[in-house]
Amino acid sequence: MSSNSFDARGELTVDGERYEIYRLAAVPGSERLPYSLKILLENLLRNEDGRLVTAEQVRAVGDWDPSAEASQEIQYTPARVLMQDFTGVPCVVDLVAMRDAMADLGGDPTKINPLIPGELVIDHSVIADVFNRPDAVSINSEFEFRRNKERYELLRWAQQSFADFLVVPPDTGICHQVNLEYLSRVVFTRTVDGVAQAYPDTLVGTDSHTPMVNGLGVLGWGVGGIEAEAAMLGQPMSMLVPQVVGFKLTGELPEGATATDLVLTVAELLRKTRVVGKFVDFFGPGVANVPLANRATLGNMSPEYGSTCAIFPIDQETLDYMRLTGRSEHQIALVEAYAKEQGIWHDPNHTPDYSQIVELDLSTVESSIAGPKRPQDRIPLRSASRAVRGLLAGESQDVAVLAGGLDDAGDGSFPASDPVAISNRIPRDEPPRVFEDDGSGDSLEWPSDPASFVLEGQQLSLDHGDIVIAAITSCTNTSNPSVMIGAGLLAKKAVELGLDRKPWVKTTLAPGSRVVTDYLDRAGLTPYLDKIGFGLVGYGCTTCIGNSGPLIPEVSAAVTGKDLNVSAVLSGNRNFEGRIHPEVKMNFLASPPLVIAYALAGSMHVDLLREPLGTSSSGAPVFLKDIWPTTAEIKEVVDASLEAHMFTDGYADVYHGDENWRGMEVPEGDMFAWSDVSSYVRKPPYFDGMAREPAPVTDIVGARVLALLGDSVTTDHISPAGNIRKSSPAGQYLLEQGVAQADFNSYGSRRGNHNVMIRGTFANIRLRNLLVPGTEGGFTKRSADGEVETIFDASTAYLAEGTPLVVLAGTDYGSGSSRDWAAKGTMLLGVKAVLATSFERIHRSNLIGMGVLPLQFKDGESAASLGLTGFESYSVLGLAGANPLPREVMVRVSSDGGGTRDIATTLRIDTPAEEAYYVHGGILQYVLRQLLED
């Protein structure tokens, strides 16, 4: 029960039902706040208890200074936690291990139980093993279940053993789309002490793209699995009241522009604006012109432009979407009444206070793609073919795009300096291929080394820049009927003219929910998608998470035989190096219709706006403009094909699952029966030897550097993801356990086994450890003249001799997905501290949550500017006996020659709660000790 210091408790009646609410108007200054901060303010009012949530915290939000840096700490309590299975399985494994630890310490293991609702959607495990055949979805589904049976048994056990924990079975949809279409309430209701309360639906999710639901007016963002576990266990989340950037929308999208084009434009703009760690609120007269599906697309890619969330306010469009997706009329009425009562209904004529305002005229958006390895690197479609040739020729991203005609592409590049040339490993002594750029007079030489091969009786040729994967993959875009219907219509026109995918392109369709299949079927578009290879392969993340499956064997041989720099085109949100497929070096994000167009063209060299995609059955050239559907055509089909009953029917048995799911034998009991032979689920060592009281904090003395890393090292570089190579430490471990290579599955599927994951940490094939210059992958050296070895082997040797480890890194360390294993693996390798130029929000928090110290160089300093080689000895001094921990920490660097110097660094433990987590050795240990004392 709230302390109600502000006399905010009131009542709202809707359809004769009465709800207790906490009125924002009771707090002076609330009317001027941005939408997102009003949601935070209500959260504090309702949860104010005078201990964890205080009146001072409420006033900190009410008195928010838009111009001030984030400094006021508050304790935020989300209404629920959303998980997908890659990140959710380790969460469940940790909770189960906590039950064991609680019992070992003499406590009640059932105290380890979700105290707020947890919802897990199994969506990251399906792999596109087979494609372009009628039974692809059933075969892929069967493979998925056979590979992941041990994981799914754990989740079934958790569903029946933990209270308030729901699991959406495999082959249903992706968590973000299921969240948008079904799970989200917009206004949450719950009975507390016999009183029905109504309050904003809020959440944190163990996937960084949780902000997709921001498009529905639901405040949520991605956190690490570690933070999510604590939230489920009733621990408020410590956070600083953020700065809020107002994003003013005006105008309307022009003909031919898609939601994907819009979000790529916004991602580029907001990366330049530098919104990392900030909230983004959309406002202005253009909001009404943005359909809710487009809003969800914009929210989805918040991590790509760095903001914590990117939210739209509640308005008529919100209600219309709720009605379309089958929400009850009472729930819709409650949302409208609550939003208007609380002043969170969108008023296009009201401008709240913002820390900064960015404006975009929607009419200026043009067709775009993004890549080849960062989602914020937008390339206008008109410049794409020239930009790709420039990248292959060794030009930097900025130069390649500028040469293609985008005058301001490189202005304020963020987050790092120019990336290395994509083609740095392509020999320069081959005969160059020369292209003339249409109309510009620009000529460009790029290395060409075509590989000839035979496929299905055809003699074919593949070269640098050709496309080998074209995937309409779930999450960002498949929740959007306009782009999906647009893709279907483009396929229909292409088939009618006699076009087909190029035979070397692996084409897949993996929607985010079964509703997509329903409306494509109803529109009569499925046969055309099937005809050109975009048949259904499953409902799940697939290509975007690296579950793209094998390339066509003959294509794979051609690519690897000549080390070709080939491309993938996908409708997802992530294209980091090594993520999509280990044999594909360039990855481009594009709208679903453009994905199909590129599959028809077969190469990134084709200028889609000027060159034909192919030849019609009558022998005439076919251009993109000949098959691109108009906005009116798309709208007509959407209106005729999409109805509310599709959503109510599709989600009527959402928790039911297929025969495989229902037929599993799941043991009962409060304690999980760990298997000593499981290669998927093993008891983690986090609580081994844990005492009831934490040990004193000590200095880190005599540490060595495990890895010296540059700028923009992402969690994809750190955390194990994608395929497991036979030659890797993880692959060798699995072989030793009797697992055949064919059954390796992916790192993501084995996140419940720390023995696999620790061996894959820092093992990304594109990681560049500067201790071993010129080498890519998970390798390091323990001395300047030492032998090159795997990072895991080096860690094992260091641990055996009791040597602590550190990692040195550049700017934006840990950007990318919210991967708890990027922190867990770091800790298990023996790393005690990370010293970086700057950190991405989630990863810094996760490092603290695993007891790893985040240290930041002073402004203007870096490992390079200080001349650090990484072969010195490092001691972090000033921690022992300090209470509280100092904000500045001295790092003593000792060279092998005997010289020493001290470097002042900033300790990036930003809040008292984070300090408590670190002192206890991690957030899980902290929570366990708190529950032990209750």
Side-chain angles (χ1 to χ4, degrees), residues 164-279:
D164 234 344
F165 183 75
L166 296 174
V167 177
V168 176
D171 305 315
T172 303
I174 195 164
C175 63
H176 309 303
Q177 192 162 343
V178 174
N179 191 25
L180 187 75
E181 296 176 350
Y182 178 73
L183 295 174
S184 291
R185 291 75 153 171
V186 186
V187 171
F188 206 90
T189 58
R190 204 173 195 196
T191 300
V192 180
D193 296 329
V195 178
Q197 288 187 340
Y199 47 91
D201 185 10
T202 56
L203 73 153
V204 292
T206 61
D207 188 289
S208 58
H209 296 99
T210 300
M212 181 168 177
V213 79
N214 291 171
L216 198 58
V218 175
L219 183 62
W221 59 83
V223 297
I226 309 155
E227 296 169 291
E229 292 164 33
M232 281 196 294
L233 292 169
Q235 296 296 306
M237 297 183 57
S238 175
M239 62 179 290
L240 301 177
V241 182
Q243 290 191 327
V244 182
V245 174
F247 199 114
K248 185 176 183 180
L249 295 174
T250 60
E252 297 185 49
L253 284 177
E255 178 66 35
T258 67
T260 316
D261 303 320
L262 172 60
V263 75
L264 296 181
T265 302
V266 170
E268 178 192 43
L269 176 59
L270 287 180
R271 268 294 177 184
K272 293 179 181 179
T273 305
R274 296 180 177 265
V275 296
V276 172
K278 301 176 182 178
F279 284 10

Side-chain angles (χ1 to χ4, degrees), residues 70-145:
S71 61
Q72 296 290 322
E73 183 190 10
I74 60 173
Q75 300 293 323
Y76 167 67
T77 306
R80 56 192 174 95
V81 173
L82 178 71
M83 292 172 282
Q84 38 97 329
D85 58 307
F86 269 18
T87 48
V89 165
C91 282
V92 174
V93 166
D94 290 352
L95 292 178
V96 174
M98 287 180 75
R99 280 196 169 183
D100 289 351
M102 177 68 84
D104 291 342
L105 291 170
D108 179 3
T110 60
K111 283 188 175 181
I112 307 299
N113 200 70
L115 296 179
I116 66 172
E119 300 158 338
L120 187 147
V121 181
I122 300 175
D123 64 355
H124 273 50
S125 296
V126 62
I127 298 173
D129 288 287
V130 301
F131 77 105
N132 195 26
R133 47 188 287 179
D135 58 354
V137 65
S138 60
I139 292 176
N140 290 333
S141 176
E142 189 61 35
F143 283 162
E144 174 193 2
F145 196 88

Side-chain angles (χ1 to χ4, degrees), residues 816-900:
S817 297
S818 55
R819 297 191 183 278
D820 57 335
W821 263 107
K824 289 178 177 177
T826 298
M827 183 274 290
L828 290 176
L829 285 172
V831 175
K832 302 298 182 183
V834 175
L835 177 53
T837 307
S838 64
F839 291 90
E840 195 85 350
R841 174 186 64 88
I842 297 175
H843 186 58
R844 182 195 63 81
S845 174
N846 282 348
L847 287 174
I848 297 167
M850 292 309 299
V852 179
L853 203 67
L855 300 174
Q856 190 162 308
F857 289 109
K858 293 295 184 181
D859 288 348
E861 294 184 348
S862 65
S865 72
L866 294 169
L868 302 178
T869 67
F871 294 113
E872 307 91 349
S873 175
Y874 291 74
S875 295
V876 181
L877 308 176
L879 302 175
N883 185 19
L885 294 177
R887 299 280 72 84
E888 186 172 288
V889 173
M890 198 63 64
V891 177
R892 181 160 295 164
V893 182
S894 304
S895 65
D896 290 340
T900 64

Side-chain angles (χ1 to χ4, degrees), residues 612-790:
L613 303 177
T615 304
S616 72
S617 51
S618 65
V622 178
F623 294 86
L624 182 62
K625 63 181 176 62
D626 299 328
I627 59 174
W628 192 269
T630 66
T631 302
E633 287 177 299
I634 294 171
K635 184 177 186 305
E636 181 181 0
V637 176
V638 169
D639 290 347
S641 307
L642 194 60
E643 293 183 355
H645 75 83
M646 293 181 173
F647 294 91
T648 52
D649 294 347
Y651 287 109
D653 58 351
V654 66
Y655 303 111
H656 193 58
D658 61 13
E659 293 180 3
N660 285 327
W661 177 259
R662 297 192 304 275
M664 285 190 294
E665 293 185 9
V666 182
E668 298 182 357
D670 295 331
M671 311 290 282
F672 182 70
W674 300 99
S675 169
D676 292 333
V677 298
S678 174
S679 60
Y680 280 94
V681 177
R682 300 298 284 268
K683 184 178 179 179
Y686 311 131
F687 307 104
D688 290 353
M690 177 181 164
R692 294 181 74 100
E693 297 295 331
V697 174
T698 60
D699 292 339
I700 301 169
V701 179
R704 304 294 293 192
V705 176
L706 185 63
L708 172 60
L709 306 172
D711 295 332
S712 293
V713 171
T714 72
T715 49
D716 278 317
H717 289 107
I718 307 166
S719 179
N723 297 322
I724 301 174
R725 290 190 166 190
K726 179 180 179 181
S727 60
S728 68
Q732 291 300 301
Y733 165 81
L734 289 173
L735 290 174
E736 291 168 5
Q737 301 302 306
V739 179
Q741 184 180 0
D743 297 323
F744 277 5
N745 210 333
S746 64
Y747 278 113
S749 66
R750 294 189 181 272
R751 289 172 76 125
N753 184 344
H754 60 279
N755 294 309
V756 173
M757 299 302 284
I758 187 177
R759 288 166 169 80
T761 303
F762 291 112
N764 184 289
I765 59 173
R766 297 289 177 250
L767 182 77
R768 298 182 183 93
N769 182 0
L770 302 180
L771 296 182
V772 282
T775 301
E776 288 186 326
F779 300 99
T780 193
K781 290 199 299 186
R782 284 183 276 159
S783 63
D785 57 356
E787 294 184 357
V788 176
E789 57 188 323
T790 68

Side-chain angles (χ1 to χ4, degrees), residues 257-316:
T258 67
T260 316
D261 303 320
L262 172 60
V263 75
L264 296 181
T265 302
V266 170
E268 178 192 43
L269 176 59
L270 287 180
R271 268 294 177 184
K272 293 179 181 179
T273 305
R274 296 180 177 265
V275 296
V276 172
K278 301 176 182 178
F279 284 10
V280 172
D281 276 31
F282 291 96
F283 76 104
V287 165
N289 298 327
V290 181
L292 200 131
N294 291 17
R295 299 179 186 187
T297 305
L298 287 167
N300 178 283
M301 286 189 69
S302 295
E304 279 63 54
Y305 39 86
S307 67
T308 303
C309 64
I311 195 164
F312 281 81
I314 297 169
D315 63 1
Q316 187 60 46

